Amino acid sequence: MSKVPASRVHLYDTTLRDGMQGQGMSLSATEKVRVVEALDRLGVQMIEAGFPDSNPKDLELFELLASVPLEQATIAAFGMTRRRDREAAEDPGLAALVGCFAPVVTLVGKTWALHLEVVTKVSRDENLAMIADSVRFCAESGKRVVYDPEHFFDGWRDDFGYAMACLDAAVDAGAENVTLCDTNGSSLPHEIEEGAAAVVAALEGRGASVGIHTHNDAECGVANSIAAVRAGATLVQGTINGYGERTGNANLVSILPALQLKLGYDCVPPDRLRLLTGTAHLIDEICNLAPDPSQPYVGRNAFAHKGGMHAAGVEADARTFEHMDPRDVGNEREILISELAGRGSVMSRAARAGIELDEDAVRRSIQQVKEREHRGYSYEAADASFELLLRREAGTYESLFRLESFRVITEKRADGRVETEATIKLWVGDERYTRTAEGNGPVNALDRALRAAITEQHPEIAEVELTNFKVRILDEHHGTASVTRVLLDSSDGAHDWSSIGVSENVIEASWEALVDSLEYAFQPRAEGAASAEPAGAVGDA
Amino acid sequence: MSKVPASRVHLYDTTLRDGMQGQGMSLSATEKVRVVEALDRLGVQMIEAGFPDSNPKDLELFELLASVPLEQATIAAFGMTRRRDREAAEDPGLAALVGCFAPVVTLVGKTWALHLEVVTKVSRDENLAMIADSVRFCAESGKRVVYDPEHFFDGWRDDFGYAMACLDAAVDAGAENVTLCDTNGSSLPHEIEEGAAAVVAALEGRGASVGIHTHNDAECGVANSIAAVRAGATLVQGTINGYGERTGNANLVSILPALQLKLGYDCVPPDRLRLLTGTAHLIDEICNLAPDPSQPYVGRNAFAHKGGMHAAGVEADARTFEHMDPRDVGNEREILISELAGRGSVMSRAARAGIELDEDAVRRSIQQVKEREHRGYSYEAADASFELLLRREAGTYESLFRLESFRVITEKRADGRVETEATIKLWVGDERYTRTAEGNGPVNALDRALRAAITEQHPEIAEVELTNFKVRILDEHHGTASVTRVLLDSSDGAHDWSSIGVSENVIEASWEALVDSLEYAFQPRAEGAASAEPAGAVGDA
């Protein structure tokens, strides 16, 4: 495919406004500032921060943002057209918009007659006046105005003339951009392309650009955005990782590499595109979400190869089984361990960790993986435990301690108080340690007691921080005794790693993952061996 | 948009073959039969079961399937073209394919010169012979043959003439369908549309139909499938819920409603389309995966309304904020509880559960939800706990028991054995009970001890089964004491419900969710009050 000549497409991020409509999404003002800074670094041109009048949290955000130095991004404030019964100059929402520091104001308004009739009960003419007055008021107050016609594509299907009249009202009143919204996510790419092309043609020479804002209800949010750009739109609104109400908004993380790498549009500087994976995962973390391992472009599995033929092909020539170079978006190839993988995968992981395996050790490792995966282990998401398994077979494993026994007690007393205490007896070298610790839960108490015993001889173990703890019950549908799988993410500040424990008992499974985490940190390593993922670069499963 | 005249598109499911390449996917032969039966009920026309020669599990599957009565679906067996150094009649893979009961054989072969040069090292002519010989051998053995040209779209971009020669070889040798594969997932919808249209035109009148097989690497798997159908393809290969290697295969669950409801194609009987949500969730369950609440069409949030304006609009006229009727795909509207929702949502939930709330109770409930969500609760995924909260405020809550205290001890002994025991002291009415129980973990031990005490007076509580147990650590990035959130799914066979517990201590959080689950089951209900979701119809978050 020949690429079209490079032309400029602006990215407009609405993670902090529309993305926050997603289930369970909630960020403090300080966290939102971190998101803005990350988007600015990535090269996103416009960042919608919220509605400066909706609540104290958004007000605080705009106050903070006014003094945050940004490299290149412009902040947009979001609001609605004036109320039907007020002059624009007396509308408190519009006053908040023009009063805040943001250079761009994005106004949403109606375009679809059904909404005027059923939801707002405003006449068609009054709606046109509301659009024109509001845009003009903001523009005359010195703001750059983006106009978001809500439900544009539904309106276009029902009555293109009226939908276009709404856009004309906004453009004539001074909007620099109209961003066509597929608010319900009802449209498919060919419809978006047709509707956007019609608007681009109608607005030619009028001094306003066209943007696109889609949702993922038909699982076409990304394709719909691309279709609009191909039809002439030059601004794309979306959210990081596709956060948003219902099924989410259009995912900027997938739209950006498609536009820039596959279609040759100029969106962000190429060196910034390499921040994509890290940015997507960082914002997941700020939102307290686990990165989706299957996410296009940036997921841990996006360039993973499992089948034997694929893995072999990639070794020979990456183009054979990869649609792009993972490094261009800051991701990396991953060869997964699993029942389906063979010796090639085991050897490649061993080489990366600097472990030498002879023929017999490779065979035994494969056998071990198979047996343990059958029992519920999954090494795909547990690098650290997998490396320990290989070290044991290679004979280079060094044991940190030897457990004699532990006991954990949790009591909820008559007065409602809950107390947890762990006692542990173990040997480090020839020395026996008995330690008791309280904790805010059984794993925490065990962790404290264990480290109290170990760190006397190995103080470096104190650096290890447990960053995430996930529990899953396996086989719950099989009627047999269920098995608990614990995945533990750890970090020493420079690197992250994951370990796994499997047992009928959640305490025992947690213990196993905890021990693997600490033992992994303790193993001696050759300089330069890529034993763990760089911190923050790869999420968990 | 005018709909195109209804024409027939066949669905070809490869969940059991390509879907199993996804991370962590593994099903027994019996489980695969359950998947086949569910797909048959849904109306999927062709079901690819696997490669009957690859391993004992697939062999067993084909033996089982031979005697499974299907309503309408046809089973396909999947394999490769003959090896370069063998006659088709002497190729053991082809022998397995023609020897199995499946009426359809799907053969995958090369189309892209890069693969011939780098991966298989076979000449272009020899590759054409391998395709022709293999297809002819299967067709002459009485099989219907689908030919899957691997990397078709890459080959088409490199050398359309050779890619087409591969298709010609298959069609001339008797293939009834060629399914164009975008194996790397590299293509965007306009490329797929162009490539598929070229093939449809070239094969016109030749007696073979055209199919499409895409992957989701560019987050365009669904849009790419739709683009090919619009270009004339009449068969779509994909997987349920988009399972598959890397970022997954094209998601049949989203393709089907788009083709049938939005574009007017005839895929499955309309009454079967209503099985879509249930089928998608059932297959998630068989695969031991939690249904994705944000999944288009079938996700729990796909038709959820959170913002105040949206919720009000939907009440007035569902078309204003819904792109289709959720019932057409067996889903339902969900009004989420959250910080962002207001009294409308609370009242609608209360009405569904048959709880009468006065003004004061509504206000107190909203306040409670806000305060508790601030502490880490999330009622969006915990219907049962939310109903209990409303009942407490309505004054219709009935307490099942009164706790005095509990103690749980887990010990790992010197010999490696792990033992867990819980002791509980509580009152049911005026009666005090002290019970001790062992369990395979602390929650199990607590559950047993608790039920041993309660069921003497309330034997119906024994019916409640705990079906899933999920743990999440909140605020792990905030440096403060982390909080554990436990979500517990329960079932009494007829209904499923979910409860939540939040605490620093995983035992305490589990206890809270456990108590809510049992208390929920114990509450007296009016006949007909839709107090819980029908079992199996809605997954967890």
Side-chain angles (χ1 to χ4, degrees):
Chain A
M1 299 309 304
S2 64
K3 296 196 169 181
V4 304
S7 60
R8 194 117 180 89
V9 173
H10 284 82
L11 301 180
Y12 179 115
D13 180 274
T14 179
T15 301
L16 299 180
R17 202 265 310 166
D18 229 11
M20 290 300 112
Q21 299 285 324
Q23 190 191 353
M25 299 294 280
S26 179
L27 292 178
S28 70
T30 324
E31 288 168 326
K32 286 183 177 177
V33 170
R34 288 180 63 201
V35 171
V36 167
E37 289 169 336
L39 293 169
D40 178 46
R41 273 196 302 279
L42 177 63
V44 172
Q45 288 88 3
M46 286 195 189
I47 303 171
E48 192 176 86
F51 182 30
D53 193 32
S54 70
N55 59 49
K57 222 154 82 175
D58 274 10
L59 263 182
E60 185 194 348
L61 170 63
F62 276 87
E63 276 165 23
L64 284 173
L65 281 178
S67 57
V68 169
L70 296 180
E71 199 180 313
Q72 54 79 38
T74 305
I75 300 293
F78 177 89
M80 281 176 284
T81 50
R82 69 163 171 82
R83 289 162 57 170
R84 61 185 303 188
D85 52 358
R86 278 195 208 241
E87 299 288 310
E90 281 156 19
D91 187 282
L94 292 177
L97 290 172
V98 302
C100 83
F101 85 97
V104 173
V105 163
T106 299
L107 292 175
V108 64
K110 300 285 177 192
T111 348
W112 187 17
L114 177 69
H115 265 253
L116 297 176
E117 286 153 21
V118 171
V119 184
T120 60
K121 315 218 191 274
V122 161
S123 77
R124 291 180 166 216
D125 285 345
E126 179 62 21
N127 182 54
L128 293 177
M130 285 161 63
I131 296 169
D133 292 352
S134 308
V135 170
R136 186 174 303 111
F137 175 72
C138 293
E140 287 177 353
S141 305
K143 298 295 185 186
R144 296 167 53 192
V145 181
V146 170
Y147 179 66
D148 274 13
E150 203 187 44
H151 297 282
F152 171 78
F153 291 92
D154 296 291
W156 166 65
R157 281 183 284 258
D158 268 12
D159 183 347
F160 179 51
Y162 184 70
M164 202 57 229
C166 295
L167 303 189
D168 284 336
V171 171
D172 291 342
E176 71 170 40
N177 172 281
V178 288
T179 288
L180 313 177
C181 299
D182 188 38
T183 311
N184 288 355
S186 58
S187 306
L188 298 177
H190 63 282
E191 300 172 293
I192 297 282
E193 188 157 355
E194 198 184 329
V199 173
V200 168
L203 290 184
E204 203 183 335
R206 300 272 296 282
S209 62
V210 175
I212 183 70
H213 173 117
T214 69
H215 288 258
N216 204 38
D217 297 77
E219 207 174 327
C220 289
V222 169
N224 282 348
S225 304
I226 294 169
V229 169
R230 284 177 37 84
T234 56
L235 181 148
V236 178
Q237 293 189 0
T239 62
I240 294 297
N241 302 324
Y243 306 143
E245 192 171 31
R246 303 188 311 272
T247 62
N249 283 55
N251 182 2
L252 282 183
V253 173
S254 294
I255 293 168
L256 169 55
L259 291 180
Q260 186 146 329
L261 298 175
K262 289 180 185 285
L263 295 172
Y265 290 96
D266 176 17
C267 301
V268 302
D271 64 317
R272 298 313 173 94
L273 190 53
R274 280 181 216 115
L275 299 177
L276 187 65
T277 298
T279 305
H281 293 180
L282 172 67
I283 295 178
D284 263 339
E285 281 192 17
I286 294 172
C287 295
N288 200 15
L289 295 168
D292 174 4
S294 303
Q295 189 174 338
Y297 300 100
V298 301
R300 189 174 190 158
N301 301 345
F303 299 94
H305 299 279
K306 198 166 190 176
M309 191 171 66
H310 279 212
V314 166
E315 286 290 310
D317 183 337
R319 287 176 303 154
T320 54
F321 288 100
E322 277 177 0
H323 69 112
M324 52 167 290
D325 187 336
R327 288 168 298 192
D328 286 347
V329 291
N331 206 343
E332 57 180 25
R333 186 173 308 142
E334 182 84 355
I335 306 288
L336 299 175
I337 301 308
S338 89
E339 280 190 74
L340 293 173
R343 48 182 302 110
S345 302
V346 164
M347 303 205 30
S348 134
R349 281 276 185 144
R352 276 172 58 192
I355 301 167
E356 283 178 34
L357 292 174
D358 63 22
E359 266 312 302
D360 251 23
V362 170
R363 209 178 26 73
R364 286 195 311 269
S365 299
I366 295 170
Q367 196 52 36
Q368 275 282 329
V369 170
K370 283 187 181 168
E371 277 170 22
R372 294 170 75 87
E373 290 205 335
H374 186 72
R375 282 158 49 201
Y377 288 82
S378 169
Y379 288 102
E380 292 170 0
D383 298 16
S385 296
F386 183 62
E387 187 185 314
L388 291 174
L389 184 153
L390 294 184
R391 283 183 185 277
R392 282 190 194 99
E393 297 306 333
T396 62
Y397 165 74
E398 295 198 13
S399 174
L400 181 54
F401 69 92
R402 189 163 52 77
L403 179 73
E404 192 178 297
S405 68
F406 70 66
R407 183 180 66 233
V408 196
I409 303 175
T410 300
E411 280 186 278
K412 189 177 170 87
R413 302 187 322 202
D415 64 3
R417 279 195 58 182
V418 179
E419 284 181 354
T420 299
E421 164 196 309
T423 300
I424 199 159
K425 298 171 187 169
L426 57 76
W427 297 76
V428 181
D430 293 335
E431 197 83 39
R432 183 168 183 272
Y433 295 89
T434 303
R435 292 288 182 277
T436 293
E438 290 187 302
N440 54 28
V443 183
N444 181 245
L446 269 175
D447 180 35
R448 287 184 178 180
L450 175 58
R451 295 211 220 186
I454 292 174
T455 46
E456 241 171 68
Q457 288 189 44
H458 302 292
E460 71 279 10
I461 292 297
E463 303 294 307
V464 176
E465 199 194 340
L466 310 182
T467 55
N468 206 350
F469 172 68
K470 279 163 291 181
V471 179
R472 180 98 201 261
I473 309 299
L474 306 178
D475 297 321
E476 70 264 42
H477 303 292
H478 298 264
T480 57
S482 60
V483 164
T484 304
R485 176 197 283 174
V486 168
L487 277 170
L488 190 62
D489 298 336
S490 307
S491 176
D492 62 6
H495 288 92
D496 293 344
W497 61 92
S498 301
S499 54
I500 189 166
V502 172
S503 166
E504 279 196 350
N505 190 318
V506 63
I507 306 285
E508 163 78 349
S510 305
W511 166 259
E512 191 182 345
L514 174 64
V515 171
D516 268 13
S517 167
L518 300 185
E519 296 231 317
Y520 173 84
F522 171 70
Q523 300 304 308
R525 291 197 172 77
E527 281 300 308
S531 49
E533 310 299 343
V538 170
D540 44 59
Chain B
M1 300 308 302
S2 63
K3 295 197 168 179
V4 304
S7 58
R8 194 115 180 88
V9 172
H10 284 83
L11 300 179
Y12 179 116
D13 180 275
T14 179
T15 300
L16 299 181
R17 202 265 310 167
D18 229 12
M20 290 300 112
Q21 300 284 323
Q23 190 192 354
M25 299 295 280
S26 179
L27 291 179
S28 69
T30 323
E31 287 168 325
K32 286 183 177 177
V33 169
R34 288 180 63 202
V35 171
V36 167
E37 289 170 334
L39 293 169
D40 178 46
R41 272 196 302 280
L42 178 62
V44 172
Q45 288 87 3
M46 286 193 189
I47 303 171
E48 193 176 85
F51 182 30
D53 193 30
S54 71
N55 60 49
K57 223 153 81 174
D58 274 11
L59 264 182
E60 184 195 348
L61 170 62
F62 276 88
E63 276 163 25
L64 284 174
L65 280 179
S67 57
V68 169
L70 297 179
E71 200 180 312
Q72 54 80 37
T74 304
I75 300 294
F78 178 88
M80 282 176 283
T81 50
R82 69 163 171 82
R83 289 162 58 171
R84 61 186 302 190
D85 52 359
R86 277 193 209 241
E87 297 290 310
E90 281 154 22
D91 187 281
L94 292 177
L97 290 172
V98 302
C100 84
F101 85 98
V104 172
V105 163
T106 299
L107 292 174
V108 65
K110 300 286 176 192
T111 347
W112 187 16
L114 177 69
H115 265 253
L116 296 176
E117 287 154 20
V118 171
V119 183
T120 61
K121 318 219 190 271
V122 161
S123 78
R124 291 180 168 217
D125 286 345
E126 179 63 19
N127 183 53
L128 293 178
M130 286 161 63
I131 297 169
D133 293 351
S134 309
V135 170
R136 188 174 302 111
F137 175 71
C138 293
E140 287 178 352
S141 307
K143 298 295 186 186
R144 295 167 54 192
V145 182
V146 170
Y147 180 66
D148 272 14
E150 203 188 44
H151 297 283
F152 170 79
F153 291 92
D154 296 291
W156 165 65
R157 282 183 284 257
D158 268 13
D159 183 348
F160 179 51
Y162 184 70
M164 204 58 228
C166 295
L167 303 190
D168 285 336
V171 171
D172 291 342
E176 70 170 42
N177 172 281
V178 288
T179 288
L180 312 177
C181 298
D182 187 37
T183 311
N184 288 355
S186 59
S187 305
L188 298 177
H190 63 282
E191 301 172 294
I192 297 281
E193 189 157 353
E194 199 185 326
V199 173
V200 168
L203 291 183
E204 203 183 336
R206 301 272 296 281
S209 62
V210 174
I212 183 71
H213 173 116
T214 69
H215 289 257
N216 205 37
D217 296 78
E219 208 176 326
C220 289
V222 169
N224 283 347
S225 304
I226 294 169
V229 169
R230 284 176 38 83
T234 56
L235 182 148
V236 178
Q237 294 189 359
T239 62
I240 294 298
N241 301 325
Y243 305 144
E245 191 170 31
R246 304 188 311 270
T247 60
N249 283 56
N251 182 2
L252 281 183
V253 173
S254 293
I255 294 167
L256 169 54
L259 291 179
Q260 186 146 331
L261 298 176
K262 290 180 184 284
L263 294 172
Y265 289 96
D266 176 17
C267 301
V268 303
D271 63 317
R272 298 312 172 93
L273 190 53
R274 281 181 214 115
L275 300 176
L276 187 65
T277 298
T279 304
H281 293 179
L282 172 67
I283 296 178
D284 264 338
E285 281 192 18
I286 294 172
C287 295
N288 200 16
L289 296 168
D292 175 4
S294 302
Q295 189 174 338
Y297 300 101
V298 301
R300 190 175 189 156
N301 301 345
F303 299 93
H305 299 280
K306 199 166 188 175
M309 192 171 67
H310 279 212
V314 166
E315 287 290 310
D317 182 338
R319 287 176 303 153
T320 53
F321 287 102
E322 278 178 358
H323 69 112
M324 52 167 289
D325 187 335
R327 289 168 298 189
D328 287 347
V329 292
N331 206 342
E332 57 181 25
R333 186 173 308 143
E334 183 84 355
I335 305 289
L336 299 176
I337 302 308
S338 88
E339 278 190 76
L340 294 173
R343 49 182 302 108
S345 302
V346 163
M347 303 206 30
S348 133
R349 282 277 185 143
R352 275 173 57 193
I355 301 167
E356 282 177 34
L357 292 173
D358 63 21
E359 266 313 302
D360 252 24
V362 170
R363 209 178 27 72
R364 286 195 312 269
S365 299
I366 294 170
Q367 196 52 37
Q368 274 282 329
V369 171
K370 282 187 180 167
E371 277 170 22
R372 295 171 74 89
E373 290 204 336
H374 185 73
R375 282 158 50 201
Y377 288 81
S378 169
Y379 289 102
E380 291 170 1
D383 298 16
S385 296
F386 183 63
E387 187 184 314
L388 291 173
L389 183 154
L390 296 184
R391 283 182 186 277
R392 280 189 194 99
E393 298 304 333
T396 64
Y397 165 75
E398 295 198 14
S399 174
L400 181 54
F401 68 94
R402 188 163 52 78
L403 179 73
E404 193 178 296
S405 68
F406 71 65
R407 183 181 66 235
V408 196
I409 304 176
T410 300
E411 280 186 279
K412 189 178 170 89
R413 303 187 322 201
D415 65 5
R417 280 194 59 182
V418 180
E419 285 180 353
T420 299
E421 164 196 309
T423 300
I424 198 158
K425 298 172 188 170
L426 58 76
W427 297 76
V428 180
D430 294 336
E431 197 82 40
R432 183 169 183 270
Y433 295 89
T434 303
R435 292 289 182 277
T436 294
E438 291 187 301
N440 55 29
V443 182
N444 180 247
L446 270 175
D447 180 34
R448 286 184 179 180
L450 175 59
R451 294 212 220 186
I454 292 174
T455 46
E456 240 170 69
Q457 287 189 46
H458 301 292
E460 72 279 10
I461 293 297
E463 303 293 306
V464 176
E465 201 194 338
L466 311 181
T467 54
N468 206 350
F469 173 68
K470 280 163 290 180
V471 179
R472 180 98 202 260
I473 310 298
L474 306 177
D475 296 321
E476 70 265 39
H477 304 292
H478 297 265
T480 57
S482 60
V483 164
T484 304
R485 176 197 282 173
V486 169
L487 277 171
L488 189 62
D489 298 336
S490 307
S491 177
D492 62 6
H495 288 92
D496 293 345
W497 60 91
S498 301
S499 54
I500 190 167
V502 172
S503 166
E504 279 196 351
N505 190 317
V506 63
I507 306 285
E508 164 78 350
S510 304
W511 167 259
E512 191 182 348
L514 174 63
V515 170
D516 268 13
S517 167
L518 301 185
E519 296 230 318
Y520 174 84
F522 171 70
Q523 300 304 308
R525 287 195 176 78
E527 280 301 306
S531 49
E533 310 299 345
V538 171
D540 45 60

